Amino acid sequence: SSSSSPSTERRTVMCRLLLRLRAGRTSQLGTSLRKIFFNHGPWILLSMLTNPGSSTSSSSSSTSTTMLSTTSHLPSLFCFSIMRCNSYELSLMRTQLAKGLGIFGCDAYSVFSENTTWLTPGPPVRIDSIALNISLQAKAGTKEHILNTQIFLKAWEQVKAGGLYIQHEWIVKVDPDAVFFPQRLRDHLVKITPEGSSLYFLNCRLSFGLFGALEIMSRVALQSFYDGLERCKQVLPWRSFGEDMFLRKCLDFLGVTPRSDFSLLSDGYCGEQPSPCISGKVAFHPFKNVETYLKCTHEAN
């Protein structure tokens, strides 16, 4: 048979090692790597060992892990999702974590839900969602949005309180049923935006232009949002908006620059058929069960 590349051989060896580690055979690791395995999980360790020179750090929250890789020249991403525990979204998020897909490929991530629940029970470690302690059932609005602004403002408050976003250049909110490719987004952002810009993206040609399945803004833009949020709530009828409409109107009111980029999202609610997922876009939505979600992932790759 033909010989494989060193990186392929290294990945094969590490995959075999990680299978042994999942069975509790951690004596094959040195002390420092064993600590990383238990603190961060197998996917982070695999990334480190297949990319020599990388390192990891984590927050105090069990749900958020930050990975600093050798591709430090690429924009760093903090990503989060808001998940309803008593719905299909839970199985989607658990599958994404188990396979290292979606937001779990970002440099740091958080998952919020109405109550705390496990995303993986371990071993090696248990990872839980972060409780918002509110109902995630939103009232119906117009055909363009539901009245969920209060729910998402609670999540944005948690993002601010957690503080992880400060360490990263871009903040990305992703719906659980969106098939999202973080590396595509990194490659995209590094080509089109200067570092330190105050910017958010419009992703849909229809309606008000910003569909909530994928919301992307710079750290500078998010800081402006936090600084001016109370002013937005005073001047905008925010209780009658969906969260994505409110986000756009607030950012515009605060002078954050919008950039139209319709190469980011393929969304069935935006007049585009996302399947088959072969357009090369950053995200595809919606895929509401594990089978179709993984099928989309396979098509895109």
Side-chain angles (χ1 to χ4, degrees), residues 25-226:
R25 296 168 63 183
T26 60
S27 61
Q28 299 177 54
L29 287 180
T31 302
S32 60
L33 292 183
R34 201 157 49 235
K35 181 178 179 181
I36 291 169
F37 177 78
F38 283 113
N39 287 346
H40 300 279
W43 292 109
I44 301 301
L45 180 60
L46 176 60
S47 178
M48 285 185 61
L49 293 173
T50 53
N51 295 280
S54 63
S55 61
T56 64
S57 62
S58 71
S59 74
S60 58
S61 169
S62 63
T63 59
S64 301
T65 300
T66 303
M67 179 177 63
L68 304 179
S69 73
T70 54
T71 57
S72 58
H73 63 282
L74 291 176
S76 59
L77 308 176
F78 170 73
C79 306
F80 72 95
S81 292
I82 303 168
M83 172 191 74
R84 293 170 295 174
C85 295
N86 297 319
S87 76
Y88 62 89
E89 294 175 349
L90 178 57
S91 61
L92 283 174
M93 295 307 298
R94 286 174 173 172
T95 299
Q96 290 170 48
L97 175 57
K99 295 182 176 294
L101 301 174
I103 68 168
F104 303 104
C106 295
D107 301 274
Y109 65 83
S110 290
V111 178
F112 302 103
S113 57
E114 59 268 54
N115 303 302
T116 299
T117 191
W118 63 268
L119 298 173
T120 176
V125 292
R126 178 184 173 107
I127 300 178
D128 291 331
S129 64
I130 298 173
L132 295 176
N133 296 316
I134 60 171
S135 171
L136 299 189
Q137 296 300 318
K139 297 179 181 180
T142 71
K143 66 179 181 179
E144 295 177 331
H145 57 263
I146 58 175
L147 306 181
N148 56 359
T149 300
Q150 183 64 54
I151 294 171
F152 283 83
L153 286 181
K154 183 71 172 179
W156 284 112
E157 290 173 7
Q158 287 286 344
V159 168
K160 182 179 181 181
L164 275 177
Y165 79 94
I166 297 174
Q167 305 171 31
H168 303 283
E169 297 162 271
W170 292 93
I171 289 78
V172 188
K173 193 273 282 182
V174 185
D175 280 359
D177 57 351
V179 179
F180 168 56
F181 297 94
Q183 190 57 43
R184 289 186 182 182
L185 179 57
R186 292 187 187 98
D187 293 340
H188 193 71
L189 291 173
V190 77
K191 299 174 184 177
I192 62 175
T193 57
E195 185 177 352
S197 57
S198 179
L199 187 70
Y200 78 98
F201 286 94
L202 302 177
N203 55 25
C204 180
R205 298 180 189 275
L206 303 181
S207 189
F208 51 90
L210 175 61
F211 272 35
L214 182 72
E215 296 173 356
I216 305 166
M217 71 179 81
S218 67
R219 180 180 61 235
V220 179
L222 181 56
Q223 194 58 59
S224 296
F225 176 72
Y226 285 140

